[in-house]
Amino acid sequence: MGVRHAVVTGGGIGGLTAAVALSRRGWRVTVCERAPVLTGVGAGIVLAPNALRALDSIGLGPEVWAGDTLPGPVGLRTPDGTWLSRSDSAAVSTRHGPATRAVHRGFLIDALAAALPPGVVRLGVSVTGVDDTGGVVVVRTSAGDLRADAVVAADGMRSVLRGQLFPRHPGLRHAGEAGWRAVLPRSGPPPRHAAETWGRGERFGVVPLVDGRIYVYATAVTGPGGRPADHHAELTRRFGAWHDPIPALLDRLNQHAPDPVGILHHDFHELAPPLPRFHAGRVALLGDAAHAMTPNLGQGGCQAIEDAVVVAHLLAHHTDVPAALAAYTKARHRRTTRIGRRSRRVGELARLSHPLAASIRNLAVRATPRAATSRALDTVIGWQPPPAPAPAHTPGEVHATTDVKEQP
């Protein structure tokens, strides 16, 4: 059997991770990205231990993520600065493995793109559909048709291919919130803590990035489509009286990003109900295309990275592509559904705006033992990637060690 060809639709984090993983397992890969350049659209991303282990399994290990880990206590606070819960990042690293890193999305995109062979990424090429009725998959693109043995659809939460494969699914559901994101340049000592502060129906997060910049984000309860005329004024109105260093960060945001373009604003959506499966024939859905979730656990990008290494592992060890992708659904569907559901529940708690309800919530969070919180994280960030590539074997034979079991 000759070298097999995979087309990956979408040059975001999940798509590029899949491309790296497949190319390092012997596949020829073409990435179709509709944008004219690869960009880390967004701001920061927290790479939790599960994502770092997945990246390490495809050769993107600790040397890529040089820089500071999350500093000191990490946890939840109230607007007056009181800690509701906190954990030491070093203790989390001891329990779960690689120390969490927070990086700019652009940095991650660049690292993934640099790990690909030349010519893999085709920019300015959009995918409009697939035809999986013949001996190979025909991928319809704006630059002409491509023929592939498998397609990995990583084309985001508004996935074109998801709509083709599952036309009866209702699609995205608004999650009742909107968010702001921005990255501040390095200036003076970074914050001593990475924390999210919960008010009544509002949140503000501060995350130091490995390069010294600061990722800030905020959320508020809102209906779909709402957009303030002046983002900075709205943020100051909502959060300007909260604990340090939030007021100072808002001042810096005004200095460095007074134009609304410098502050990203978006509604939160999730894919609900879940898709019945993450594949159809020789096409697999990955990341937001498969299981768009709210950002409340910080696991959207991490789950896309997990998806990518799992689908590449299974495609590398199964000569029957539909069977490999059926195994991919089995390995990923329950886990991502559970994480998406947990993220939704966290969002429901964070959105509480009635004073009594918010007070009861805060008391409950404060009363939860740290050990219980740590155990609850085990099933999320304790995930392990598939084993390293097995020795070459006879076509059609699948070694028992290559199976990826459905994980909690």
Side-chain angles (χ1 to χ4, degrees), residues 197-279:
T197 301
W198 285 11
R200 298 201 303 266
E202 299 171 329
R203 286 176 283 172
F204 197 98
V206 179
V207 182
L209 302 182
V210 296
D211 60 7
R213 291 183 288 177
I214 304 170
Y215 171 38
V216 295
Y217 62 90
T219 74
V221 174
T222 181
R227 184 176 179 85
D230 184 328
H231 289 298
H232 184 264
E234 182 71 7
L235 290 168
T236 301
R237 180 183 71 82
R238 290 179 178 273
F239 307 105
W242 286 23
H243 66 79
D244 291 333
I246 293 173
L249 293 173
L250 290 173
D251 287 342
R252 287 179 56 191
L253 186 61
N254 189 40
Q255 175 185 355
H256 294 289
D259 189 321
V261 172
I263 303 174
L264 299 172
H265 179 267
H266 61 284
D267 289 336
F268 290 173
H269 293 89
E270 60 182 340
L271 194 62
L275 293 174
R277 59 190 184 280
F278 294 162
H279 76 287

Side-chain angles (χ1 to χ4, degrees), residues 103-390:
V103 302
H104 195 285
R105 285 176 178 265
F107 174 84
L108 179 54
I109 291 291
D110 289 345
L112 292 167
L116 288 170
V120 166
V121 179
R122 298 187 183 182
L123 298 172
V125 176
S126 58
V127 172
T128 58
V130 293
D131 181 353
D132 190 16
T133 58
V136 295
V137 187
V138 178
V139 183
R140 311 293 186 191
T141 85
S142 58
D145 291 349
L146 295 172
R147 297 165 67 84
D149 298 286
V151 175
V152 177
D155 51 345
M157 67 169 55
R158 302 187 187 281
S159 169
V160 170
L161 294 189
R162 183 183 68 228
Q164 177 183 335
L165 300 179
F166 300 98
R168 296 183 179 180
H169 190 274
L172 297 174
R173 179 174 67 189
H174 191 268
E177 286 183 285
W180 295 264
R181 295 173 293 162
V183 173
L184 294 169
R186 181 197 298 264
S187 177
R192 294 181 294 113
H193 312 294
E196 185 171 283
T197 301
W198 285 11
R200 298 201 303 266
E202 299 171 329
R203 286 176 283 172
F204 197 98
V206 179
V207 182
L209 302 182
V210 296
D211 60 7
R213 291 183 288 177
I214 304 170
Y215 171 38
V216 295
Y217 62 90
T219 74
V221 174
T222 181
R227 184 176 179 85
D230 184 328
H231 289 298
H232 184 264
E234 182 71 7
L235 290 168
T236 301
R237 180 183 71 82
R238 290 179 178 273
F239 307 105
W242 286 23
H243 66 79
D244 291 333
I246 293 173
L249 293 173
L250 290 173
D251 287 342
R252 287 179 56 191
L253 186 61
N254 189 40
Q255 175 185 355
H256 294 289
D259 189 321
V261 172
I263 303 174
L264 299 172
H265 179 267
H266 61 284
D267 289 336
F268 290 173
H269 293 89
E270 60 182 340
L271 194 62
L275 293 174
R277 59 190 184 280
F278 294 162
H279 76 287
R282 288 168 288 186
V283 182
L285 297 168
L286 179 153
D288 283 347
H291 47 70
M293 61 185 67
T294 60
N296 301 304
L297 289 180
Q299 278 288 312
C302 296
Q303 291 306 302
I305 292 169
E306 287 186 15
D307 288 347
V309 300
V310 170
V311 75
H313 173 84
L314 291 167
L315 283 171
H317 290 92
H318 288 64
T319 55
D320 184 336
V321 170
L325 298 188
Y328 164 69
T329 284
K330 184 178 179 181
R332 299 298 302 161
H333 193 279
R334 184 172 68 169
R335 172 168 169 78
T336 55
T337 299
R338 287 180 173 180
I339 290 175
R341 187 181 302 124
R342 184 182 296 188
S343 182
R344 184 185 314 123
R345 289 198 298 263
V346 170
E348 290 167 352
L349 285 174
R351 289 198 303 272
L352 292 175
S353 56
H354 190 281
L356 179 58
S359 295
I360 294 172
R361 173 200 67 195
N362 292 351
L363 287 171
V365 172
R366 189 179 289 122
T368 302
R370 185 177 298 180
T373 301
S374 181
R375 286 194 299 271
L377 282 174
D378 286 351
T379 57
V380 177
I381 65 177
W383 179 88
Q384 298 291 331

